Amino acid sequence: MKTAEIAQRYLDYFEKNEHTIVPSASLVSDDPSIMFTIAGMVPFIPYLTGVVPAPYARAADVQKCIRTNDIEEVGKTARHGTFFQMLGNWSFGDYFKEGAISYAWELLTSSEADGGLGFAERDLWVTVYEDDDEAAALWQRIAGLPAERIQRLGRADNFWTTGQPGPAGPCSEIYFDRGPAYGAEGGPAVDDNRFLEIWNLVFMQNSIANVRSKTEFDIVGELPEKNIDTGMGLERVAFIKQGVENMYETDQVRPVLDRAVELSGRRYGAEHVDDVRFRVIADHVRSSLMLLSDGVTPSNEGRGYILRRLMRRTVRSMRLLGVEEATFPALFEASRDAMKAGYPEVETDWQRISSYAFAEEETFLRTLTAGSTILDTAVEKTRASGGSTLTGPEAFLLHDTYGFPIDLTLEIAEEAGLGVDRDAFDSLMQEQRQRAKADARSRKRAIADVGVYSAFRAQGETAFTGYTDLETETNVLGVLVDGVSVPSATQGQIAEVIVAETSLYAESGGQVADKGVIVGPGFELEVLDVQRPVPGLVSHTVEVARGEVGVGQPASTIVDAANRRAATQAHSATHLVHAALRDTLGKGATQAGSLNRAGYLRFDFTWGQALSPVTRTEIEEIANNAVRDNLEVTTRVLSLDDAKAAGATALFGEKYGDRVRMVDIGGPWSRELCGGTHVASSAEIGLISITGESSVGASNRRVEALVGLDAFRELTAERALVNELTSALKTPKDQLATRVSELAASLKAAEKKIAQFEAKALGERVPALVDAATRAGAVRLVAESVGAVGSQDDVRSLVSSVRERLGSEAAVVALAAEVAGRPVVIVATNDAARRAGAKAGALAKAAAAALGGGGGGRDDMAQGGGADASAVPAALDAVRRGLVAA
């Protein structure tokens, strides 16, 4: 379910239930005390506080929000984002707790076919304020939730205030259980990573005074008119409904992340540090787009500074991923297309938005190049001297002369293990503000300089001969080292070499650059990369392997023939897979990106659901039939209009001139605009083996395949694995799947029996545990560790049995165990113990604190957990101390 659809279902539901649908307020807050709309309730504060009479009794909205106080956590968790959307329904003196709970439960649990969100009731938990018996009872009556899935928490978690005297009230939060793979059992009181908050219902019923902190204030009475203020995180609901891991992988954010992956050539999911950078980019680009659409522009003050910081963090993240050229055109376009369904203004106002974004990036690329060099030098100098802090003047120089934001300097310094003398920096900033305006105007920022290539481009376009020749004789037109034109480069140096003609393919259209060498009299250059830094000009990044290369020397560009052949096979196979997809799924399966390298292809396409095994096999068969049929591959250069009239498919993300290259495989069956290299006939591809099909967003799928010899080797390896399994299991190939299923079923049955034996063994420990009871204050206490057990339910059952055997005398049972490698403590009290003041929830909370976690629950039974199993004795001791103190 796409994000925009979730939002529309929400609005449709509440409109049907007589709510006025209120459009989102601007991200630029009208409240002078805050720069941005930081929460869904901000536009409604005048009505909630009673300062302004509400123009409606009940309302619903989708509110755009920006919050940057946790900017350093963006990308590191599943829930932190700078831009987010809050779904809210509001009652101003109309319905109260019963209505809010009823509406929330109905919308969440109604089927998608009936307009609901289709959550399974078993996956939902709620928390209520610790003494809000009314809310707890309503949840049981309306939703039928069992008492153990309604947890009571204190002021820190379940009581809402503005932080000022005035309206306040208890709240009830709804959580989604993501499953045991994400953490411990026991509800949100135990693990708020596994149990993810999705909706907060605030019951604004109290008036507070003497506010001393978030949890310290006096409730002085009830409001004469009670209000409802709810907030459901749209991004959180979206990533749950879309079955992805976090908000960065939802349909409104993932396209930017994928584009960053494509631009960088690195894989998302391969390395944690890179993953964080990809998520920062995806988040910050979307936030910047939305701020620009609401009229914020980059500057060094206020809202403009926040926007500039987001954009510059994006640029720096791309640099850390190895991309040094401008990326905002690609990234912002991806974000625009992802967001325009919900916010059409990002498309209608695109010219203005993009002009600010692209100019800001161009300026900062130059800033980053110059500033990074100076900062790196300062860092090394500080380390060499044994220091731990960059000086204020160094930080100020970066800001004043190079436009380096202090936040960026702080981040880079922290990564290097250094601090920054912020006080000295602030002092210099204050002095600068007092200077004359003329001095301020003297600080200029230059647009990123690609002028270094202009002299070479003026000599004409780089002729590409690689369609027909793998080796071309040419002349060296230019040599650049560190972006500066130089006469020559010597052995060991990394340089850019520009030649008049080249047989080496420059990365484009999804096909990676050729491998190869450039040789000449007395020198040999290993080609590391081939790119087009400006239209029409090819630049070769090389390492000088031998000798010295200089401007004006003759040279030969030589392509690695085996690598080119395999890359050409992969690119042509991509065309076949594209055509097969459209044959099978229809014209709606359109290309959304590709990558072709030697022996491998990746093809992204627009489609809303996973391909079935049958469909995947059909696509693979159609593509391989085309290989078998040895279809002719032809290329023509013609006008763009003629190519479109012929039905040619344009490649994703490509920009075309008046003349284009059209590639046909089998005539019109596969007809695409493409500048890549291709086989002469389809039989040269060899073999196409689809190895994977996956989601890359709510409406985009990805097919991956091996091609040619790589495909053959992969199938050979699979055959060897099957042979090994048939031998080990002594089962024929055609019965292997059945045999594996039988073994899995046997294993499951064995695990069930083991669990039964373990439960029986635990039960046999009851007498010994009862005998271990000691006195703790006014009660008998059993406080023991029972070691590793299968589940928390086993511990809970054991606790109940021991409590029952202790009889009617005041008794408390606290048993610690290790479940799935994590410590848990479950505490139970009997009636007499509770009359004596013992509360299981408070005792479990104290025990969990010793374990480094959290806990709580009812007075009769509660639980807690943590991460430090070595602290179990301390946790049990905390229970004993709590009873003695009581």
Side-chain angles (χ1 to χ4, degrees), residues 519-678:
V519 299
F523 68 83
E524 180 177 341
L525 315 176
E526 180 187 353
V527 176
L528 307 178
D529 195 12
V530 189
Q531 296 289 334
R532 290 186 173 88
V534 295
L537 186 76
V538 174
S539 173
H540 309 76
T541 300
V542 303
E543 181 176 0
V544 183
R546 178 175 58 83
E548 180 178 358
V549 58
V551 175
Q553 288 183 291
S556 295
T557 60
I558 304 172
V559 177
D560 181 325
N563 183 77
R564 163 71 78 80
R565 184 183 307 110
T568 293
Q569 290 174 310
H571 201 155
S572 298
T574 301
H575 286 228
L576 298 187
V577 169
H578 189 192
L581 278 164
R582 291 167 72 86
D583 265 9
T584 306
L585 304 178
K587 303 303 181 185
T590 57
Q591 182 172 349
S594 66
L595 175 68
N596 313 289
R597 63 171 184 259
Y600 169 85
L601 72 84
R602 185 186 76 204
F603 186 85
D604 296 349
F605 60 99
T606 56
W607 197 248
Q609 59 189 28
L611 302 183
S612 69
V614 172
T615 301
R616 178 173 146 171
T617 299
E618 183 180 357
I619 292 166
E620 189 176 52
E621 186 172 337
I622 291 171
N624 279 294
N625 282 342
V627 172
R628 177 203 62 193
D629 293 342
N630 198 23
L631 302 175
E632 182 182 12
V633 180
T634 61
T635 61
R636 287 180 284 166
V637 177
L638 64 170
S639 72
L640 180 60
D641 289 340
D642 287 345
K644 289 179 177 178
T649 301
L651 286 174
F652 172 79
E654 288 290 306
K655 301 188 186 305
Y656 301 99
D658 294 333
R659 304 291 292 175
V660 294
R661 184 169 182 265
M662 186 171 74
V663 178
D664 289 357
I665 303 180
W669 181 70
S670 171
R671 176 168 289 167
E672 299 189 25
L673 302 184
C674 182
T677 61
H678 291 277

Side-chain angles (χ1 to χ4, degrees), residues 183-185 189-191 792 817-826 844-855 863-872 875:
E185 297 179 7
V190 173
D191 190 334
Q792 291 189 30
E818 188 175 310
V819 179
R822 293 175 65 91
V824 298
V825 174
I826 295 182
K845 188 173 184 179
L851 295 172
Q863 66 186 52
D868 186 3
S870 68
V872 164

Side-chain angles (χ1 to χ4, degrees), residues 276-567:
V276 171
R277 290 167 183 158
F278 282 127
R279 293 193 287 260
V280 166
I281 291 162
D283 171 83
H284 286 7
V285 166
R286 183 171 76 143
S287 299
S288 299
L289 174 77
M290 300 308 296
L291 284 169
L292 286 162
S293 74
D294 271 3
V296 181
T297 56
S299 71
N300 283 333
E301 294 181 349
R303 298 182 181 95
Y305 174 76
I306 298 297
L307 172 59
R308 173 161 283 168
R309 185 183 180 199
L310 292 170
M311 297 170 81
R312 292 187 169 190
R313 279 170 57 90
T314 302
V315 173
R316 181 164 178 268
S317 294
M318 289 300 298
R319 294 271 292 216
L320 292 172
L321 289 167
V323 183
E324 298 190 357
E325 61 269 23
T327 59
F328 277 13
L331 297 175
F332 272 74
E333 285 173 5
S335 189
R336 175 201 65 191
D337 293 341
M339 296 300 293
K340 66 185 181 183
Y343 303 96
E345 61 270 21
V346 300
E347 183 172 50
T348 57
D349 201 18
W350 175 245
Q351 183 174 355
R352 181 189 66 82
I353 292 170
S354 60
S355 65
Y356 279 112
F358 300 169
E360 179 68 14
E361 183 184 37
E362 288 173 348
T363 300
F364 189 56
L365 283 172
R366 179 62 178 268
T367 295
L368 197 57
T369 299
S372 293
T373 301
I374 292 175
L375 181 54
D376 290 344
T377 301
V379 167
E380 290 305 316
K381 179 181 175 183
T382 302
R383 283 175 165 171
S385 66
S388 61
T389 304
L390 292 176
T391 68
E394 288 170 324
F396 182 78
L397 174 68
L398 285 163
H399 170 85
D400 186 47
T401 305
Y402 297 98
F404 233 59
I406 182 60
D407 302 276
L408 192 54
T409 300
L410 291 168
E411 287 180 21
I412 297 173
E414 183 181 358
E415 290 173 1
L418 301 176
V420 176
D421 188 345
R422 185 61 188 267
D423 290 340
F425 171 85
D426 290 339
S427 177
L428 290 167
M429 282 294 296
Q430 183 61 31
E431 291 176 15
Q432 184 203 52
R433 293 188 184 101
Q434 295 171 354
R435 294 183 190 132
K437 291 183 179 180
D439 181 45
R441 291 194 195 100
S442 69
R443 291 179 285 110
K444 298 178 180 179
R445 292 179 174 81
I447 298 301
D449 184 14
V450 292
V452 68
Y453 299 107
S454 60
F456 311 123
R457 183 63 181 83
Q459 299 179 49
E461 293 192 11
T462 307
F464 177 61
T465 63
Y467 291 131
T468 56
D469 301 318
L470 297 182
E471 182 174 346
T472 292
E473 294 184 0
T474 185
N475 292 297
V476 177
L477 300 180
V479 178
L480 293 89
V481 176
D482 295 330
V484 177
S485 182
V486 296
S488 63
T490 58
Q491 184 170 331
Q493 283 190 296
I494 303 296
E496 287 182 73
V497 171
I498 296 167
V499 295
E501 304 88 15
T502 184
S503 54
L504 291 153
Y505 183 79
E507 180 179 3
S508 63
Q511 181 174 333
V512 301
D514 273 335
K515 294 181 179 179
V517 295
I518 301 175
V519 299
F523 68 83
E524 180 177 341
L525 315 176
E526 180 187 353
V527 176
L528 307 178
D529 195 12
V530 189
Q531 296 289 334
R532 290 186 173 88
V534 295
L537 186 76
V538 174
S539 173
H540 309 76
T541 300
V542 303
E543 181 176 0
V544 183
R546 178 175 58 83
E548 180 178 358
V549 58
V551 175
Q553 288 183 291
S556 295
T557 60
I558 304 172
V559 177
D560 181 325
N563 183 77
R564 163 71 78 80
R565 184 183 307 110

Side-chain angles (χ1 to χ4, degrees), residues 709-794:
L709 279 175
D710 289 81
F712 173 75
R713 294 186 185 108
E714 187 252 356
L715 293 175
T716 300
E718 286 189 356
R719 181 177 62 190
L721 177 61
V722 170
N723 288 339
E724 186 178 341
L725 288 172
T726 56
S727 175
L729 299 177
K730 297 180 174 55
T731 304
K733 291 181 182 179
D734 59 350
Q735 298 176 24
L736 190 59
T738 301
R739 178 61 177 149
V740 170
S741 296
E742 290 172 349
L743 288 172
S746 297
L747 179 60
K748 187 174 182 179
E751 289 173 343
K752 184 176 181 180
K753 284 186 178 180
I754 291 170
Q756 291 171 345
F757 287 134
E758 288 177 343
K760 182 180 179 182
L762 279 175
E764 292 172 349
R765 297 178 66 175
V766 171
L769 290 169
V770 171
D771 291 342
T774 60
R775 302 298 303 182
V779 304
R780 293 181 70 194
L781 170 66
V782 175
E784 298 288 332
S785 173
V786 295
V789 298
S791 72
Q792 291 189 30
D793 288 340
D794 293 335

